[in-house]
Amino acid sequence: MTFDSQAYATQLENKVTRLRDLLAPFDAPEPTVFDSPLQNFRLRAEFRLWREAGERHYAMFSQDDKRTPILIEEFPIASLRINQLMPQLKAAWQASSALSHKLFQVEFLTTLAGDAMITLCYHRPLDEHWHAAATQLAADLNVSVIGRSKGKREVIGHDYVVEKLDVGGRTFSYRQPEGAFTQPNGTVNQKMLNWAYEALGDRSDDLLELYCGNGNFTLPLATRVRNVLATEISKTSVNAALSNLSENAVDNVTLVRLSAEELTEALNEVRPFRRLQGIDLKSYEFGSVFVDPPRAGMDPDTCELTRRFDNILYISCNPETLAANIAQLHDTHRITRCALFDQFPWTHHMESGVLLTRR
């Protein structure tokens, strides 16, 4: 399959126009645009399996029709490693009833660094025959394999992959756990990290980070400031972030498992939190806040909290909620940098970033 570069350029320009129009009321500068590879950009993929003519096939469904499967043999937007593994895995389950019996879903997670993990989901308990076959599969394909059945999980190898990304002249190593959120487009993610690194700049004060995930932004941004206080609510992501901080010898970050709303309450001294015991919030000299919220954007109270900071570095996966949040902050902050990151080519989705500076 070939991809039309002109069609991609047109689609990307439409995204730029959309972002430009949304931010026009705030006198935003022209966005810096970071494009994506046209194919093999997606590092993770999930497929249902569909039986036809006595054989299982990879299948996907359109948004408009969840009943009619689209049978596929390759997935060109996925990484080369996923496309390499798809036929090898299919051949393995065709040759092994221990692997194929009541197998209904397959998930792939890969990295730019070449690591790979396959998750196999079953409507049956996993026994020693499955374990033996899956162990051989992991060795043959040089991957980690995870088996999932109701309430159970078997891990052969690791339950994570390792990514390596170059930011600001340094290579950072990231442990990305199975089932946790990771940026799907590794090439654009690396561009996004470097933009945020440059936008923050070298600072002598402290950074507050909300929604830190597995530490994707935390690691490089921590090298730009004195100290970081980072929050994340997902326990899996917190554990991955702690591991990544240790692996990369980043020792100026304090990570707290709180939601953004809870941290807002703590900073406003509405109520104490046991998870903040031993952390002196008043000892921080926050000059900047970094936020990468879910699609709903920041809630009004968290948005109001960010107003306290001279600099607000905001990464968004939804330009509409980004614009709504900026509208709340526009009287005290102005947009000094703007970027579009095409994390999701061939869709209407986009990632964007702004640096808001106090007026």
Side-chain angles (χ1 to χ4, degrees):
M1 179 181 291
T2 58
F3 290 84
D4 185 342
S5 58
Q6 185 55 53
Y8 174 74
T10 300
Q11 186 188 71
L12 182 57
E13 184 53 41
N14 290 338
K15 293 182 182 182
V16 174
T17 299
R18 181 172 154 222
L19 181 62
R20 189 187 289 131
D21 290 348
L22 282 166
L23 300 185
F26 314 115
D27 300 318
E30 184 67 11
T32 304
V33 180
F34 296 91
D35 63 357
S36 170
L38 273 62
Q39 63 188 76
N40 302 126
F41 54 81
R42 189 172 176 85
L43 295 176
R44 62 175 192 248
E46 177 182 306
F47 304 102
R48 296 300 296 265
L49 297 191
W50 191 266
R51 289 185 71 95
E52 192 166 283
E55 189 176 309
R56 281 181 175 80
H57 301 272
Y58 295 106
M60 301 185 82
F61 296 84
S62 73
Q63 292 286 347
D64 303 326
D65 184 356
K66 298 296 186 183
R67 294 173 176 245
T68 307
I70 302 168
L71 305 185
I72 58 178
E73 297 297 325
E74 59 180 7
F75 194 43
I77 68 170
S79 67
L80 290 171
R81 186 87 163 100
I82 290 175
N83 280 280
Q84 174 194 45
L85 289 169
M86 286 174 68
Q88 295 174 332
L89 176 61
K90 185 174 183 178
W93 81 56
Q94 287 175 331
S96 170
S97 60
L99 289 176
S100 64
H101 183 50
K102 294 194 174 180
L103 174 66
F104 72 92
Q105 182 167 301
V106 173
E107 300 165 14
F108 296 92
L109 180 60
T110 61
T111 69
L112 296 176
D115 207 357
M117 176 169 59
I118 299 174
T119 301
L120 306 173
C121 304
Y122 292 87
H123 286 311
R124 68 171 175 94
L126 302 179
D127 57 19
E128 66 273 12
H129 300 294
W130 177 87
H131 195 275
T135 300
Q136 187 61 53
L137 176 69
D140 291 343
L141 302 188
N142 191 28
V143 299
S144 292
V145 173
I146 294 179
R148 284 193 172 274
S149 61
K150 188 176 181 180
K152 298 287 185 182
R153 186 179 76 144
E154 294 273 346
V155 179
I156 297 166
H158 300 292
D159 64 350
Y160 59 85
V161 291
V162 174
E163 181 62 286
K164 293 186 182 298
L165 300 173
D166 296 326
V167 186
R170 175 176 169 181
T171 300
F172 292 90
S173 176
Y174 293 89
R175 181 178 294 194
Q176 300 179 339
E178 186 247 358
F181 173 78
T182 54
Q183 298 287 348
N185 189 325
T187 301
V188 176
N189 181 39
Q190 188 164 255
K191 294 177 180 181
M192 192 163 63
L193 292 174
N194 277 283
W195 178 85
Y197 177 89
E198 290 298 327
L200 181 62
D202 272 323
R203 302 188 57 85
S204 59
D205 51 16
D206 301 324
L207 173 70
L208 176 65
E209 181 182 6
L210 309 179
Y211 323 95
C212 77
N214 71 347
N216 185 49
F217 287 93
T218 318
L219 299 181
L221 294 186
T223 68
R224 301 293 252 174
V225 297
R226 190 180 64 171
N227 290 299
V228 179
L229 178 65
T231 69
E232 170 59 48
I233 192 61
S234 162
K235 186 178 290 188
T236 301
S237 294
V238 167
N239 289 337
L242 289 171
S243 173
N244 291 334
L245 291 168
S246 175
E247 173 70 22
N248 291 274
V250 175
D251 60 4
N252 63 335
V253 177
T254 299
L255 182 57
V256 184
R257 195 165 71 86
L258 289 175
S259 69
E261 294 83 356
E262 288 171 330
L263 184 70
T264 299
E265 291 183 341
L267 289 170
N268 288 335
E269 299 182 353
V270 173
R271 64 187 178 109
F273 288 88
R274 192 165 54 186
R275 278 167 283 177
L276 284 168
Q277 196 167 20
I279 299 173
D280 182 6
L281 294 179
K282 293 181 179 178
S283 69
Y284 287 90
E285 296 177 11
F286 293 120
S288 307
V289 59
F290 175 81
V291 296
D292 182 11
R295 288 190 60 78
M298 292 188 287
D299 68 275
D301 288 342
T302 303
C303 196
E304 199 60 30
L305 170 71
T306 64
R307 190 194 297 277
R308 300 180 188 180
F309 304 92
D310 289 340
N311 304 293
I312 305 167
L313 191 52
Y314 191 143
I315 297 291
S316 169
C317 59
N318 184 343
E320 278 78 17
T321 55
L322 170 66
N325 284 159
I326 293 172
Q328 185 175 337
L329 298 164
H330 187 54
D331 60 331
T332 56
H333 289 72
R334 61 188 179 91
I335 303 175
T336 53
R337 291 197 188 203
C338 178
L340 187 155
F341 311 99
D342 198 20
Q343 279 267 12
F344 311 99
W346 312 115
T347 77
H348 72 281
H349 296 292
M350 71 172 99
E351 203 99 357
S352 52
V354 294
L355 175 64
L356 296 156
T357 306
R358 188 179 301 282
R359 292 184 182 277

